[in-house]
Amino acid sequence: MFENYAYAEITLEELADIHPSKYVLCDIRDEISHQYGAIPHSVQMSDICERAQAGTLDRGTSYILYCMRGTQSLDAVGELRSFGYDAVSLKGGYASWLVASFQEEDAQNAQKQADVEQSIRKKFHKKLFTPFAKGINQYDMVQEGDKIAVCISGGKDSMLMAKLFQELKRHNKFPFELVFLVMDPGYSEVNRMVIEKNAKMLGVPITVFETQIFDAVYEIEKSPCYLCARMRRGYLYSKAKELGCNKIALGHHYDDVIETTLMGMLYGAQIQTMMPKLHSTNFEGMELIRPMYLVREEDIMQWRDYNGLHFIQCACHFTDTCSSCREDGTSASKRMETKQLIAQLKTINPYVEGNIFKSVHNVNLSTIIEYKDKNGVKHSFLDDYNKD
């Protein structure tokens, strides 16, 4: 069907003229990327080239491949065609589809915002707002007179956090202020546009400031994600303090917490977790809070999909497969391995996620071989072993 398409590419306009039953739309990005957002009715198939090489791909099917911007998918199409498969690449990839979808939605912003807010108050109140408010109360994250910089990266988590804070503000049990802060570390044009369009559509009045972090870490070979994340946090603290804020809020959720806890043991040989709040060591008087601490990622994705929302996956413009810039420098593959491990364990023990989360709330120091105190001083069980 696709033999006559120039350069093995197909445009969105050409795609619209073909009935969906005549092809399979394949997202060749990794599973995490697909979960962050994908073209409707597409199939995640990052191993499509391996399947083609092994001959396990259906030769009677026509395939349309896409990645983030249409570069990796074009290479994959060349490989598939060399094995005799009928395939083309979606020109511009997922990014081009996002741009087109936003253009269609511009005229419907007011109704969209109302629908999203209604979904938080009704359908997703127990799954999203209740654990959001519970986390804030349980860990004492917000006090009267606070001015909080709600840090928006452009992904589903931080955008939902902004809407939940607006809802919390609406209840207004005590006065506090919000600033919705977006740092542009060198976004691609598409990523910047997606963030601004989403903020406008959702009624989030963002304050944007620019940095050159991506350029600064471009040549770094060892742990560029770690350095990028640390630099981002520093810039966020600095800008927030300049705006008169005393706290920054990040969008890490419950699943981030348990994955980080398990990854520390499996990959870092240490027991530590992602704290619900922290005092800044470099910016006096500033504090970091994580209000989404008790919110499940599955519920965030259900809210996103229910409302037909599409967010950026990763701010990084150097690669289409980076899932997020993690402070611990761990790769997307390690985080996915941990996600899959937890999912496998859950089939045996349905309480495994809660147990991982609770484990760092129930630490018994008398059974710990060695630990560090808040000053970094090591203490061994042998220090006091013979004193009794």
Side-chain angles (χ1 to χ4, degrees), residues 165-223:
F165 258 121
Q166 286 182 325
E167 183 66 13
L168 186 68
K169 182 73 172 172
R170 191 174 72 89
H171 293 277
N172 207 31
K173 291 184 177 180
F174 53 78
F176 65 93
E177 295 182 60
L178 298 172
V179 174
F180 299 99
L181 193 58
V182 175
M183 182 189 65
D184 184 343
Y187 286 135
S188 67
E189 183 179 348
V190 170
N191 279 342
R192 175 72 176 255
M193 184 211 71
V194 170
I195 293 172
E196 292 175 341
K197 290 279 188 178
N198 272 326
K200 181 180 178 181
M201 177 179 64
L202 295 174
V204 178
I206 57 175
T207 297
V208 183
F209 71 102
E210 298 179 354
T211 68
Q212 301 300 319
I213 292 177
F214 285 164
D215 289 340
V217 302
Y218 185 76
E219 300 294 338
I220 304 298
E221 294 184 4
K222 186 177 181 180
S223 300

Side-chain angles (χ1 to χ4, degrees), residues 323-341:
S323 294
S324 60
C325 290
R326 298 285 176 177
E327 297 165 19
D328 54 13
T330 54
S331 67
S333 61
K334 287 181 181 178
R335 189 158 289 271
M336 178 53 69
E337 286 173 10
T338 308
K339 279 182 179 289
Q340 292 171 345
L341 176 59

